[in-house]
Every structure is written in C-alpha cells, then in structure tokens.
Amino acid sequence: MIKKILVLLSFLLVFSAQAWSGQEPKKYAVMPIEIHGPQEYAYLKQGIQSMLSSRLTRTGETSPIPPGEVNQQVEAPPASEEEARELLTALGVDFLVYGSATIVNDSCNLEIYVLDADMERHRLDRESSLGQLIPDLEDLAQDLTAMVVDDAEARAEPDDLEPVAPVAEAPPQDEAYVSPHFEFRDDPQAAGRWRSQTLPFSSVGIAVGDTQGDGEQNIFILADRRVHAYRMHEERLDHLSTYEAPGTYQNLNINVLDTNRDGKKEIIVSAVQDKRARSYILGFEDNEFKELHRRIGFFMNVTKTPPNYEQTLVGQRIASGSRLFRPGAVQEVIFTDGEPELGPGISLPDRANIFNFAFLPRNDDHLVVVAENDRLEVYSSDDRRRYTTSEEYAGSGLGLEIDDTMPGMGQTSPSEREVSYYYIPTRLVTTRLEGQDEYQLLAHKHFSGRLASVFQRYRNFPEGEIHALFWDDVGLNIHWNTRRIQASIEDFGLYDMDGDGNKELVVCVNTHPGITGMQQQRTIVLAYKMDQ
C-alpha cells in the first residue's frame, strides 16, 4: 500500500512540475541529408534523416515533424544558410537539422548543421566508415540532443541505452521472498505463453487454419513423409488423423489457403521425389484427409504480394542442369478447369526463389527481403540491393541436393563427386501488428552451437529466437524478439491457434539430437499471445 502511495505522489509531483513550468516541447525538423558519392548510396538521403529524427526525440522536451511530412513540404534540402533560415521560419520549428554525407570508397564524412530559433548555426562533423556509420550516427545524435535541449546528461544517458536488468524486490511478509541478489530472466509460468506436449516425431513445418468452414482451427504439423492433424483441446493437442505421403516423397513446406473461395482452407504441401517436384493439395473434413491434387510438377508457397498484399499461392519449377532455380521464374498459381497451373510471373530479384522471399510494404512502395546464404538481403522494388544483415537468419537443416554435374560430361557416381545442397530457409513473415503504422518482418534468428564451428555441414541449430525487424531506411533493426528457445526452430507463423479471434505467434521446434546428432528428435509447439 505504501509503495502505491509513493508512486502516486511521484506522478503528481512530476505532473505538477510540468504544469508549473508551462514549457512546450521544442519543435524540430530534420532535412533529407545530401549524399555526395556513388548512386547506390542515394537511399541514405532519407535513411540518415529518419534515424536522426527518431533519435532526437525526447519526451516532454523535443517534438519532431515526421520526415514524411517534411519531405512533402520541402522540395530540396537547403543549399545555404540563408535558405535554411527561410525553411526554419516556413516550417515554424525551433531548430532545423540539415547537412551532407560524402562517401569515398569505404569512408563517409558527415557534415551536419543545426540552426536554432535565434538563427545561430552550429556545425558537427564526423569522419566515419560505412561499416561504422550507424554507431557514429548514434553518437552524433547524442551530441545534437545535448546541444538542442541544453542537457549535459543527454550524452551520458541517452534514451536508447538498454536498462539495467531489474532485481527482485522484497515483497510483503505474507508473500514468498526471493533474494534481491537473484536476477529474474524468465518465468516458466508466465501468462501469454503456451507449450504443447512432446510429440513423438521430428517436424518440418506447421500451418493452422479452418479447413471445414465451421470456425474451428485445425493444426497441421508436417513431418518428412506425413501430415499430422491436431486440434487444441484443454490446453493439449488432440490428434485427429495422419496422411501418409508416397514412400519416397520428402516433404518441404506446408501452407493453408482457401484456393477455391468456398470458405474452407486447403492444405498445400511442397515435396520432392528423386530430384523432381511432387507437390500435393489436401482437404480435411470430418477429421479425415482427402487428396485433391497429386504429383504437381512444381513447388508452391503462400506469400503476400503487392499491391494489396493478400495471401497469394505462388509456384516455381526446378531448373535443369547445375542450377536449382532459374532466376525470375516464380509465378502465381492459377486453377484451370480445377487443376493448378503456373500463371503470371512475379517481379523479383535474381536471387529470390519460391522458398526464400517476402515483400515488405513501405508506404506506396515495397521492399523485397531475400534469405540467401543464412543472411537477409533487402532489395528495393526495382531489384537494387540495399542492405545485407551481418547476423545470420533463417537457417535450416532441410536441404535439396544440387546436381553439379557439368552438362555433356555424363553422370558420376556418388563416390566420385562431392554432394552439395541448397538449404531451404525458414519462413519469412511480414505483418503489421495492432497499433503499429509500419510493417515488420518476422524472421528466425538461429544459433549454430559448438559443432557448427567444427563441422562445416552441421546444419542442426540447437537454439533460436524469433525477431521482429523493421526497416529504418538504413538497415533492418530489431523491434522485439522472443527469449532464446532451447530447441531447433523448424517453422513459425501468425495463426489464431485457439480460435479466440486473435492471432498468436506459433513456433514449431524439434528437440536437439544431442552432441552426436544421433538421438531421435521430437516436436514441441509453442504459442505466444501477441498482446501479453
């Protein structure tokens, strides 16, 4: 009770101090930054602008004009101090930030000006490199903040410093006590998180949807050669049925989509047989699987495509020769006389294929994110590469064998050639969560473990996280992430798993096969409420 009173008094004191001071937050605008250098870095014009604008914001002290509004009102950044003064007056702000970045080879020299309400101009310079640009911009933003709000502590204690991990407080005497020297890292009984029972098989993927048109959500877990159907009941997964694929099939991915618009979603599985695509589509009603289409000669996936970003069924054939996928060969799947066929092509970067891309909407435009070689590559809508993550993402152990025999040289025996694989990345999901203006990309952040550094082809990742990434015109940054999951993440998605009308983050994992890699893997499904 005493603690509540103290908190209330603290709030009242802060509120009263603000009311007595009568000070309005200083309003500011950051201009697009002029880029002097190769055309490929032109995107930094808005990227640096956006980053500085967000970093200068301090609650109750500074208030920005959003960069989008600035760019609509201003045709070009000021070319002189006189033009800057005119812009400051026209925009009605207390200070104006503008400047330039000069890029030569790997070096980047920043020249930033601040014009205040007294028409005094201040200059800040930074000599940086492209690899060090973001940390140097953070440092520059701290100096700008200290200058603008006249706060010597702004540099030492910026808003974006990570908070010190809290320690336990001594509760009232009638509650259990934990030593204040212990640090809480996680709560296994935390609300908003659910864990299934352990299932006695290893999995490849997961999809959830209403396949009967009755509002009930069925959960489909993909194994190497089976599709298992479950339903949530009393906090457990009740097994309903299992579909057996032909014996030599290897399942690759699973999706659900209402392909014929009858209110019932179909189950769409990509599979391979003897290096040939052998996909299939199933129905599921009355707790039984029904084969709708078999031996489809191309792989399939479901992704949101522009301009409406609705779920779209797409497909791609395997290329002949040493290249697994031919560039520019991802197409929409259409149904002619009830049969699936490849239709119109989709404009994508050359490195994109049926399994590794997602569209990330940006205002009236979009970016394309491609998972390639365990990195995320970001492309503009005209297929220019703008960014590659330094961290690894979307790694999996599910590989397609690549035939690297040279045309005309005949076939070699397995013992005479070195087998190589294309590892299908885990799913990329774009979403706009409730209360958010911008779309985010959900991706699996894998951790290789000790064996990966010893054996180059060790492709079982014992730990992972799901990261929500946002684009700030400079790169992909983490908005939030799950805690470390001590298992191999095979697939994930946003689904209404419990049928309450709200989507959960659903993650399908395999248990670790042990240090020898020989232990049998088992499946566990995790679900996280997005609002808790």
mmCIF file of all heavy atoms in Angstrom, residues 198-244:
data_model
loop_
_atom_site.group_PDB
_atom_site.id
_atom_site.type_symbol
_atom_site.label_atom_id
_atom_site.label_comp_id
_atom_site.label_asym_id
_atom_site.label_seq_id
_atom_site.Cartn_x
_atom_site.Cartn_y
_atom_site.Cartn_z
ATOM 1 N N THR A 198 5.078 -33.100 -25.743
ATOM 2 C CA THR A 198 6.098 -33.551 -26.691
ATOM 3 C C THR A 198 5.492 -34.575 -27.633
ATOM 4 O O THR A 198 4.854 -35.546 -27.200
ATOM 5 C CB THR A 198 7.298 -34.161 -25.947
ATOM 6 O OG1 THR A 198 7.840 -33.178 -25.061
ATOM 7 C CG2 THR A 198 8.376 -34.600 -26.924
ATOM 8 N N LEU A 199 5.668 -34.367 -28.935
ATOM 9 C CA LEU A 199 5.108 -35.256 -29.949
ATOM 10 C C LEU A 199 6.208 -36.185 -30.461
ATOM 11 O O LEU A 199 7.342 -35.750 -30.696
ATOM 12 C CB LEU A 199 4.521 -34.437 -31.096
ATOM 13 C CG LEU A 199 3.478 -33.380 -30.681
ATOM 14 C CD1 LEU A 199 3.040 -32.548 -31.875
ATOM 15 C CD2 LEU A 199 2.276 -34.052 -30.023
ATOM 16 N N PRO A 200 5.902 -37.470 -30.684
ATOM 17 C CA PRO A 200 6.945 -38.485 -30.902
ATOM 18 C C PRO A 200 7.464 -38.569 -32.337
ATOM 19 O O PRO A 200 7.587 -39.666 -32.895
ATOM 20 C CB PRO A 200 6.230 -39.777 -30.502
ATOM 21 C CG PRO A 200 4.806 -39.532 -30.872
ATOM 22 C CD PRO A 200 4.557 -38.076 -30.577
ATOM 23 N N PHE A 201 7.759 -37.431 -32.961
ATOM 24 C CA PHE A 201 8.327 -37.418 -34.311
ATOM 25 C C PHE A 201 9.003 -36.074 -34.523
ATOM 26 O O PHE A 201 8.738 -35.116 -33.805
ATOM 27 C CB PHE A 201 7.237 -37.653 -35.375
ATOM 28 C CG PHE A 201 6.099 -36.672 -35.305
ATOM 29 C CD1 PHE A 201 6.162 -35.438 -35.946
ATOM 30 C CD2 PHE A 201 4.949 -36.965 -34.575
ATOM 31 C CE1 PHE A 201 5.124 -34.524 -35.874
ATOM 32 C CE2 PHE A 201 3.893 -36.051 -34.496
ATOM 33 C CZ PHE A 201 3.989 -34.830 -35.146
ATOM 34 N N SER A 202 9.889 -36.001 -35.500
ATOM 35 C CA SER A 202 10.504 -34.732 -35.860
ATOM 36 C C SER A 202 9.664 -34.066 -36.942
ATOM 37 O O SER A 202 9.034 -34.741 -37.754
ATOM 38 C CB SER A 202 11.933 -34.937 -36.350
ATOM 39 O OG SER A 202 11.953 -35.711 -37.532
ATOM 40 N N SER A 203 9.672 -32.742 -36.960
ATOM 41 C CA SER A 203 8.785 -31.996 -37.856
ATOM 42 C C SER A 203 9.580 -31.177 -38.856
ATOM 43 O O SER A 203 10.772 -30.919 -38.689
ATOM 44 C CB SER A 203 7.857 -31.086 -37.051
ATOM 45 O OG SER A 203 8.617 -30.219 -36.229
ATOM 46 N N VAL A 204 8.857 -30.760 -39.904
ATOM 47 C CA VAL A 204 9.412 -29.912 -40.958
ATOM 48 C C VAL A 204 8.722 -28.554 -40.976
ATOM 49 O O VAL A 204 9.344 -27.535 -41.272
ATOM 50 C CB VAL A 204 9.288 -30.603 -42.332
ATOM 51 C CG1 VAL A 204 9.742 -29.695 -43.459
ATOM 52 C CG2 VAL A 204 10.067 -31.907 -42.338
ATOM 53 N N GLY A 205 7.417 -28.520 -40.683
ATOM 54 C CA GLY A 205 6.673 -27.268 -40.751
ATOM 55 C C GLY A 205 5.360 -27.358 -40.021
ATOM 56 O O GLY A 205 4.945 -28.423 -39.539
ATOM 57 N N ILE A 206 4.666 -26.210 -39.965
ATOM 58 C CA ILE A 206 3.369 -26.136 -39.291
ATOM 59 C C ILE A 206 2.493 -25.120 -40.004
ATOM 60 O O ILE A 206 2.982 -24.124 -40.556
ATOM 61 C CB ILE A 206 3.533 -25.762 -37.800
ATOM 62 C CG1 ILE A 206 2.206 -25.924 -37.044
ATOM 63 C CG2 ILE A 206 4.084 -24.348 -37.647
ATOM 64 C CD1 ILE A 206 2.359 -25.819 -35.535
ATOM 65 N N ALA A 207 1.185 -25.375 -40.019
ATOM 66 C CA ALA A 207 0.198 -24.429 -40.544
ATOM 67 C C ALA A 207 -1.097 -24.643 -39.777
ATOM 68 O O ALA A 207 -1.399 -25.755 -39.335
ATOM 69 C CB ALA A 207 -0.021 -24.633 -42.043
ATOM 70 N N VAL A 208 -1.867 -23.573 -39.612
ATOM 71 C CA VAL A 208 -3.105 -23.612 -38.833
ATOM 72 C C VAL A 208 -4.194 -22.933 -39.634
ATOM 73 O O VAL A 208 -3.977 -21.855 -40.217
ATOM 74 C CB VAL A 208 -2.926 -22.892 -37.472
ATOM 75 C CG1 VAL A 208 -4.216 -22.964 -36.660
ATOM 76 C CG2 VAL A 208 -1.767 -23.489 -36.692
ATOM 77 N N GLY A 209 -5.393 -23.539 -39.679
ATOM 78 C CA GLY A 209 -6.499 -22.909 -40.392
ATOM 79 C C GLY A 209 -7.788 -23.680 -40.281
ATOM 80 O O GLY A 209 -7.819 -24.835 -39.849
ATOM 81 N N ASP A 210 -8.861 -23.012 -40.689
ATOM 82 C CA ASP A 210 -10.202 -23.595 -40.705
ATOM 83 C C ASP A 210 -10.396 -24.312 -42.035
ATOM 84 O O ASP A 210 -10.581 -23.672 -43.067
ATOM 85 C CB ASP A 210 -11.244 -22.500 -40.505
ATOM 86 C CG ASP A 210 -12.676 -23.019 -40.580
ATOM 87 O OD1 ASP A 210 -12.862 -24.248 -40.610
ATOM 88 O OD2 ASP A 210 -13.606 -22.183 -40.629
ATOM 89 N N THR A 211 -10.327 -25.620 -42.030
ATOM 90 C CA THR A 211 -10.459 -26.402 -43.264
ATOM 91 C C THR A 211 -11.859 -26.959 -43.465
ATOM 92 O O THR A 211 -12.117 -27.611 -44.482
ATOM 93 C CB THR A 211 -9.459 -27.575 -43.258
ATOM 94 O OG1 THR A 211 -9.720 -28.412 -42.123
ATOM 95 C CG2 THR A 211 -8.029 -27.058 -43.198
ATOM 96 N N GLN A 212 -12.761 -26.703 -42.507
ATOM 97 C CA GLN A 212 -14.114 -27.255 -42.613
ATOM 98 C C GLN A 212 -15.193 -26.181 -42.707
ATOM 99 O O GLN A 212 -16.372 -26.506 -42.845
ATOM 100 C CB GLN A 212 -14.391 -28.176 -41.407
ATOM 101 C CG GLN A 212 -13.362 -29.283 -41.278
ATOM 102 C CD GLN A 212 -13.665 -30.254 -40.153
ATOM 103 O OE1 GLN A 212 -14.106 -31.372 -40.395
ATOM 104 N NE2 GLN A 212 -13.427 -29.826 -38.923
ATOM 105 N N GLY A 213 -14.798 -24.907 -42.592
ATOM 106 C CA GLY A 213 -15.766 -23.831 -42.696
ATOM 107 C C GLY A 213 -16.646 -23.676 -41.485
ATOM 108 O O GLY A 213 -17.692 -23.022 -41.562
ATOM 109 N N ASP A 214 -16.227 -24.246 -40.351
ATOM 110 C CA ASP A 214 -17.050 -24.192 -39.141
ATOM 111 C C ASP A 214 -16.454 -23.301 -38.068
ATOM 112 O O ASP A 214 -16.946 -23.260 -36.935
ATOM 113 C CB ASP A 214 -17.254 -25.602 -38.582
ATOM 114 C CG ASP A 214 -15.932 -26.314 -38.263
ATOM 115 O OD1 ASP A 214 -14.868 -25.694 -38.461
ATOM 116 O OD2 ASP A 214 -15.979 -27.480 -37.823
ATOM 117 N N GLY A 215 -15.365 -22.596 -38.406
ATOM 118 C CA GLY A 215 -14.725 -21.715 -37.438
ATOM 119 C C GLY A 215 -13.727 -22.404 -36.529
ATOM 120 O O GLY A 215 -13.014 -21.739 -35.772
ATOM 121 N N GLU A 216 -13.657 -23.723 -36.575
ATOM 122 C CA GLU A 216 -12.703 -24.465 -35.752
ATOM 123 C C GLU A 216 -11.331 -24.459 -36.420
ATOM 124 O O GLU A 216 -11.210 -24.668 -37.629
ATOM 125 C CB GLU A 216 -13.184 -25.912 -35.547
ATOM 126 C CG GLU A 216 -14.461 -26.039 -34.741
ATOM 127 C CD GLU A 216 -14.240 -25.763 -33.272
ATOM 128 O OE1 GLU A 216 -13.078 -25.816 -32.834
ATOM 129 O OE2 GLU A 216 -15.218 -25.491 -32.558
ATOM 130 N N GLN A 217 -10.303 -24.232 -35.610
ATOM 131 C CA GLN A 217 -8.941 -24.176 -36.137
ATOM 132 C C GLN A 217 -8.269 -25.542 -36.017
ATOM 133 O O GLN A 217 -8.166 -26.091 -34.917
ATOM 134 C CB GLN A 217 -8.135 -23.128 -35.375
ATOM 135 C CG GLN A 217 -8.702 -21.727 -35.438
ATOM 136 C CD GLN A 217 -8.690 -21.167 -36.841
ATOM 137 O OE1 GLN A 217 -7.669 -21.192 -37.532
ATOM 138 N NE2 GLN A 217 -9.825 -20.642 -37.271
ATOM 139 N N ASN A 218 -7.829 -26.067 -37.140
ATOM 140 C CA ASN A 218 -7.079 -27.315 -37.147
ATOM 141 C C ASN A 218 -5.592 -27.006 -37.297
ATOM 142 O O ASN A 218 -5.207 -26.065 -38.000
ATOM 143 C CB ASN A 218 -7.544 -28.224 -38.286
ATOM 144 C CG ASN A 218 -8.975 -28.684 -38.097
ATOM 145 O OD1 ASN A 218 -9.377 -29.030 -36.988
ATOM 146 N ND2 ASN A 218 -9.759 -28.663 -39.158
ATOM 147 N N ILE A 219 -4.772 -27.789 -36.643
ATOM 148 C CA ILE A 219 -3.328 -27.584 -36.613
ATOM 149 C C ILE A 219 -2.675 -28.719 -37.386
ATOM 150 O O ILE A 219 -2.870 -29.894 -37.040
ATOM 151 C CB ILE A 219 -2.820 -27.541 -35.160
ATOM 152 C CG1 ILE A 219 -3.532 -26.416 -34.393
ATOM 153 C CG2 ILE A 219 -1.311 -27.374 -35.104
ATOM 154 C CD1 ILE A 219 -3.598 -26.624 -32.910
ATOM 155 N N PHE A 220 -1.912 -28.376 -38.424
ATOM 156 C CA PHE A 220 -1.290 -29.385 -39.275
ATOM 157 C C PHE A 220 0.219 -29.295 -39.116
ATOM 158 O O PHE A 220 0.821 -28.246 -39.361
ATOM 159 C CB PHE A 220 -1.698 -29.185 -40.736
ATOM 160 C CG PHE A 220 -3.185 -29.247 -40.948
ATOM 161 C CD1 PHE A 220 -3.941 -28.082 -41.017
ATOM 162 C CD2 PHE A 220 -3.837 -30.463 -41.027
ATOM 163 C CE1 PHE A 220 -5.313 -28.134 -41.197
ATOM 164 C CE2 PHE A 220 -5.216 -30.533 -41.189
ATOM 165 C CZ PHE A 220 -5.955 -29.359 -41.283
ATOM 166 N N ILE A 221 0.818 -30.407 -38.692
ATOM 167 C CA ILE A 221 2.258 -30.472 -38.493
ATOM 168 C C ILE A 221 2.846 -31.391 -39.552
ATOM 169 O O ILE A 221 2.428 -32.542 -39.694
ATOM 170 C CB ILE A 221 2.600 -30.958 -37.079
ATOM 171 C CG1 ILE A 221 1.996 -30.014 -36.037
ATOM 172 C CG2 ILE A 221 4.116 -31.047 -36.892
ATOM 173 C CD1 ILE A 221 2.230 -30.436 -34.603
ATOM 174 N N LEU A 222 3.804 -30.861 -40.296
ATOM 175 C CA LEU A 222 4.408 -31.576 -41.411
ATOM 176 C C LEU A 222 5.649 -32.321 -40.931
ATOM 177 O O LEU A 222 6.570 -31.726 -40.362
ATOM 178 C CB LEU A 222 4.792 -30.579 -42.509
ATOM 179 C CG LEU A 222 5.219 -31.156 -43.856
ATOM 180 C CD1 LEU A 222 4.050 -31.824 -44.550
ATOM 181 C CD2 LEU A 222 5.814 -30.060 -44.739
ATOM 182 N N ALA A 223 5.670 -33.628 -41.187
ATOM 183 C CA ALA A 223 6.857 -34.438 -40.952
ATOM 184 C C ALA A 223 7.479 -34.787 -42.298
ATOM 185 O O ALA A 223 6.999 -34.349 -43.355
ATOM 186 C CB ALA A 223 6.494 -35.697 -40.168
ATOM 187 N N ASP A 224 8.544 -35.582 -42.296
ATOM 188 C CA ASP A 224 9.243 -35.881 -43.548
ATOM 189 C C ASP A 224 8.311 -36.472 -44.600
ATOM 190 O O ASP A 224 8.352 -36.089 -45.773
ATOM 191 C CB ASP A 224 10.395 -36.858 -43.289
ATOM 192 C CG ASP A 224 11.585 -36.178 -42.625
ATOM 193 O OD1 ASP A 224 11.680 -34.936 -42.723
ATOM 194 O OD2 ASP A 224 12.409 -36.876 -42.013
ATOM 195 N N ARG A 225 7.461 -37.413 -44.207
ATOM 196 C CA ARG A 225 6.596 -38.087 -45.174
ATOM 197 C C ARG A 225 5.149 -38.184 -44.697
ATOM 198 O O ARG A 225 4.372 -38.970 -45.226
ATOM 199 C CB ARG A 225 7.133 -39.496 -45.478
ATOM 200 C CG ARG A 225 8.468 -39.469 -46.215
ATOM 201 C CD ARG A 225 9.016 -40.863 -46.480
ATOM 202 N NE ARG A 225 10.234 -40.755 -47.267
ATOM 203 C CZ ARG A 225 11.448 -40.539 -46.759
ATOM 204 N NH1 ARG A 225 11.590 -40.383 -45.451
ATOM 205 N NH2 ARG A 225 12.509 -40.465 -47.548
ATOM 206 N N ARG A 226 4.797 -37.374 -43.712
ATOM 207 C CA ARG A 226 3.438 -37.415 -43.173
ATOM 208 C C ARG A 226 2.930 -35.999 -42.906
ATOM 209 O O ARG A 226 3.703 -35.067 -42.721
ATOM 210 C CB ARG A 226 3.379 -38.221 -41.868
ATOM 211 C CG ARG A 226 3.724 -39.690 -42.018
ATOM 212 C CD ARG A 226 3.653 -40.401 -40.660
ATOM 213 N NE ARG A 226 3.892 -41.824 -40.791
ATOM 214 C CZ ARG A 226 5.093 -42.390 -40.760
ATOM 215 N NH1 ARG A 226 6.162 -41.623 -40.575
ATOM 216 N NH2 ARG A 226 5.218 -43.697 -40.876
ATOM 217 N N VAL A 227 1.597 -35.889 -42.849
ATOM 218 C CA VAL A 227 0.941 -34.673 -42.374
ATOM 219 C C VAL A 227 0.053 -35.083 -41.216
ATOM 220 O O VAL A 227 -0.857 -35.899 -41.381
ATOM 221 C CB VAL A 227 0.103 -33.991 -43.475
ATOM 222 C CG1 VAL A 227 -0.482 -32.688 -42.939
ATOM 223 C CG2 VAL A 227 0.926 -33.734 -44.727
ATOM 224 N N HIS A 228 0.322 -34.529 -40.034
ATOM 225 C CA HIS A 228 -0.449 -34.852 -38.838
ATOM 226 C C HIS A 228 -1.449 -33.741 -38.559
ATOM 227 O O HIS A 228 -1.090 -32.559 -38.594
ATOM 228 C CB HIS A 228 0.471 -35.013 -37.634
ATOM 229 C CG HIS A 228 1.519 -36.080 -37.790
ATOM 230 N ND1 HIS A 228 1.248 -37.417 -37.607
ATOM 231 C CD2 HIS A 228 2.834 -35.989 -38.121
ATOM 232 C CE1 HIS A 228 2.360 -38.115 -37.806
ATOM 233 N NE2 HIS A 228 3.332 -37.274 -38.124
ATOM 234 N N ALA A 229 -2.692 -34.105 -38.264
ATOM 235 C CA ALA A 229 -3.736 -33.127 -37.945
ATOM 236 C C ALA A 229 -4.046 -33.179 -36.453
ATOM 237 O O ALA A 229 -4.220 -34.259 -35.874
ATOM 238 C CB ALA A 229 -4.996 -33.410 -38.746
ATOM 239 N N TYR A 230 -4.113 -31.974 -35.844
ATOM 240 C CA TYR A 230 -4.418 -31.854 -34.416
ATOM 241 C C TYR A 230 -5.456 -30.751 -34.213
ATOM 242 O O TYR A 230 -5.706 -29.933 -35.096
ATOM 243 C CB TYR A 230 -3.160 -31.504 -33.608
ATOM 244 C CG TYR A 230 -2.123 -32.586 -33.551
ATOM 245 C CD1 TYR A 230 -1.156 -32.706 -34.552
ATOM 246 C CD2 TYR A 230 -2.094 -33.477 -32.487
ATOM 247 C CE1 TYR A 230 -0.184 -33.696 -34.497
ATOM 248 C CE2 TYR A 230 -1.121 -34.472 -32.412
ATOM 249 C CZ TYR A 230 -0.175 -34.574 -33.426
ATOM 250 O OH TYR A 230 0.781 -35.559 -33.367
ATOM 251 N N ARG A 231 -6.019 -30.741 -33.015
ATOM 252 C CA ARG A 231 -6.886 -29.645 -32.587
ATOM 253 C C ARG A 231 -6.619 -29.371 -31.114
ATOM 254 O O ARG A 231 -6.385 -30.293 -30.329
ATOM 255 C CB ARG A 231 -8.364 -29.988 -32.806
ATOM 256 C CG ARG A 231 -9.314 -28.840 -32.440
ATOM 257 C CD ARG A 231 -10.733 -29.129 -32.886
ATOM 258 N NE ARG A 231 -10.845 -29.158 -34.334
ATOM 259 C CZ ARG A 231 -11.923 -29.568 -35.005
ATOM 260 N NH1 ARG A 231 -12.985 -29.986 -34.346
ATOM 261 N NH2 ARG A 231 -11.937 -29.560 -36.319
ATOM 262 N N MET A 232 -6.647 -28.113 -30.747
ATOM 263 C CA MET A 232 -6.414 -27.720 -29.355
ATOM 264 C C MET A 232 -7.622 -28.106 -28.509
ATOM 265 O O MET A 232 -8.773 -27.794 -28.847
ATOM 266 C CB MET A 232 -6.186 -26.216 -29.267
ATOM 267 C CG MET A 232 -5.946 -25.705 -27.869
ATOM 268 S SD MET A 232 -4.253 -25.793 -27.369
ATOM 269 C CE MET A 232 -3.577 -24.413 -28.257
ATOM 270 N N HIS A 233 -7.346 -28.791 -27.415
ATOM 271 C CA HIS A 233 -8.422 -29.185 -26.501
ATOM 272 C C HIS A 233 -7.852 -29.253 -25.094
ATOM 273 O O HIS A 233 -6.930 -30.022 -24.824
ATOM 274 C CB HIS A 233 -9.007 -30.543 -26.899
ATOM 275 C CG HIS A 233 -10.097 -31.024 -25.971
ATOM 276 N ND1 HIS A 233 -11.315 -30.373 -25.853
ATOM 277 C CD2 HIS A 233 -10.143 -32.079 -25.103
ATOM 278 C CE1 HIS A 233 -12.064 -31.014 -24.983
ATOM 279 N NE2 HIS A 233 -11.382 -32.045 -24.513
ATOM 280 N N GLU A 234 -8.409 -28.415 -24.206
ATOM 281 C CA GLU A 234 -7.986 -28.385 -22.803
ATOM 282 C C GLU A 234 -6.471 -28.265 -22.689
ATOM 283 O O GLU A 234 -5.811 -29.041 -21.989
ATOM 284 C CB GLU A 234 -8.502 -29.629 -22.061
ATOM 285 C CG GLU A 234 -10.023 -29.665 -21.968
ATOM 286 C CD GLU A 234 -10.527 -30.871 -21.183
ATOM 287 O OE1 GLU A 234 -9.679 -31.739 -20.845
ATOM 288 O OE2 GLU A 234 -11.733 -30.943 -20.906
ATOM 289 N N GLU A 235 -5.931 -27.284 -23.414
ATOM 290 C CA GLU A 235 -4.508 -26.939 -23.346
ATOM 291 C C GLU A 235 -3.592 -28.036 -23.864
ATOM 292 O O GLU A 235 -2.381 -28.025 -23.591
ATOM 293 C CB GLU A 235 -4.106 -26.577 -21.902
ATOM 294 C CG GLU A 235 -4.870 -25.389 -21.329
ATOM 295 C CD GLU A 235 -4.644 -24.111 -22.139
ATOM 296 O OE1 GLU A 235 -3.485 -23.859 -22.514
ATOM 297 O OE2 GLU A 235 -5.616 -23.394 -22.400
ATOM 298 N N ARG A 236 -4.134 -28.972 -24.625
ATOM 299 C CA ARG A 236 -3.316 -30.008 -25.236
ATOM 300 C C ARG A 236 -3.677 -30.139 -26.712
ATOM 301 O O ARG A 236 -4.733 -29.674 -27.154
ATOM 302 C CB ARG A 236 -3.532 -31.374 -24.558
ATOM 303 C CG ARG A 236 -2.948 -31.480 -23.162
ATOM 304 C CD ARG A 236 -3.218 -32.850 -22.568
ATOM 305 N NE ARG A 236 -2.672 -33.943 -23.364
ATOM 306 C CZ ARG A 236 -1.411 -34.371 -23.301
ATOM 307 N NH1 ARG A 236 -0.553 -33.799 -22.461
ATOM 308 N NH2 ARG A 236 -0.992 -35.370 -24.045
ATOM 309 N N LEU A 237 -2.778 -30.779 -27.462
ATOM 310 C CA LEU A 237 -3.056 -31.079 -28.862
ATOM 311 C C LEU A 237 -3.662 -32.469 -28.961
ATOM 312 O O LEU A 237 -3.022 -33.463 -28.595
ATOM 313 C CB LEU A 237 -1.764 -31.010 -29.694
ATOM 314 C CG LEU A 237 -1.099 -29.637 -29.830
ATOM 315 C CD1 LEU A 237 0.158 -29.751 -30.677
ATOM 316 C CD2 LEU A 237 -2.058 -28.625 -30.439
ATOM 317 N N ASP A 238 -4.912 -32.521 -29.427
ATOM 318 C CA ASP A 238 -5.578 -33.810 -29.653
ATOM 319 C C ASP A 238 -5.330 -34.256 -31.084
ATOM 320 O O ASP A 238 -5.609 -33.505 -32.033
ATOM 321 C CB ASP A 238 -7.085 -33.686 -29.405
ATOM 322 C CG ASP A 238 -7.433 -33.769 -27.936
ATOM 323 O OD1 ASP A 238 -6.488 -33.929 -27.121
ATOM 324 O OD2 ASP A 238 -8.622 -33.667 -27.596
ATOM 325 N N HIS A 239 -4.807 -35.478 -31.256
ATOM 326 C CA HIS A 239 -4.532 -35.990 -32.591
ATOM 327 C C HIS A 239 -5.831 -36.397 -33.277
ATOM 328 O O HIS A 239 -6.671 -37.086 -32.694
ATOM 329 C CB HIS A 239 -3.580 -37.185 -32.518
ATOM 330 C CG HIS A 239 -3.236 -37.762 -33.849
ATOM 331 N ND1 HIS A 239 -3.726 -38.976 -34.289
ATOM 332 C CD2 HIS A 239 -2.479 -37.269 -34.868
ATOM 333 C CE1 HIS A 239 -3.263 -39.218 -35.504
ATOM 334 N NE2 HIS A 239 -2.500 -38.204 -35.873
ATOM 335 N N LEU A 240 -5.991 -35.951 -34.529
ATOM 336 C CA LEU A 240 -7.201 -36.254 -35.282
ATOM 337 C C LEU A 240 -6.964 -37.293 -36.375
ATOM 338 O O LEU A 240 -7.747 -38.227 -36.523
ATOM 339 C CB LEU A 240 -7.762 -34.968 -35.911
ATOM 340 C CG LEU A 240 -8.068 -33.811 -34.962
ATOM 341 C CD1 LEU A 240 -8.559 -32.591 -35.741
ATOM 342 C CD2 LEU A 240 -9.098 -34.227 -33.913
ATOM 343 N N SER A 241 -5.900 -37.111 -37.149
ATOM 344 C CA SER A 241 -5.653 -38.008 -38.278
ATOM 345 C C SER A 241 -4.244 -37.768 -38.800
ATOM 346 O O SER A 241 -3.601 -36.760 -38.471
ATOM 347 C CB SER A 241 -6.675 -37.768 -39.390
ATOM 348 O OG SER A 241 -6.504 -38.680 -40.453
ATOM 349 N N THR A 242 -3.757 -38.715 -39.628
ATOM 350 C CA THR A 242 -2.440 -38.586 -40.260
ATOM 351 C C THR A 242 -2.547 -38.999 -41.721
ATOM 352 O O THR A 242 -3.167 -40.015 -42.043
ATOM 353 C CB THR A 242 -1.392 -39.463 -39.548
ATOM 354 O OG1 THR A 242 -1.188 -38.969 -38.228
ATOM 355 C CG2 THR A 242 -0.066 -39.446 -40.296
ATOM 356 N N TYR A 243 -1.940 -38.192 -42.591
ATOM 357 C CA TYR A 243 -1.871 -38.508 -44.025
ATOM 358 C C TYR A 243 -0.481 -39.035 -44.335
ATOM 359 O O TYR A 243 0.527 -38.433 -43.954
ATOM 360 C CB TYR A 243 -2.153 -37.262 -44.863
ATOM 361 C CG TYR A 243 -1.897 -37.456 -46.337
ATOM 362 C CD1 TYR A 243 -2.850 -38.069 -47.157
ATOM 363 C CD2 TYR A 243 -0.701 -37.037 -46.912
ATOM 364 C CE1 TYR A 243 -2.605 -38.262 -48.516
ATOM 365 C CE2 TYR A 243 -0.456 -37.209 -48.267
ATOM 366 C CZ TYR A 243 -1.406 -37.829 -49.053
ATOM 367 O OH TYR A 243 -1.157 -38.016 -50.395
ATOM 368 N N GLU A 244 -0.399 -40.155 -45.040
ATOM 369 C CA GLU A 244 0.856 -40.766 -45.438
ATOM 370 C C GLU A 244 1.138 -40.409 -46.892
ATOM 371 O O GLU A 244 0.384 -40.787 -47.796
ATOM 372 C CB GLU A 244 0.799 -42.293 -45.287
ATOM 373 C CG GLU A 244 0.574 -42.786 -43.870
ATOM 374 C CD GLU A 244 1.872 -42.925 -43.110
ATOM 375 O OE1 GLU A 244 2.936 -42.767 -43.738
ATOM 376 O OE2 GLU A 244 1.811 -43.184 -41.891
#
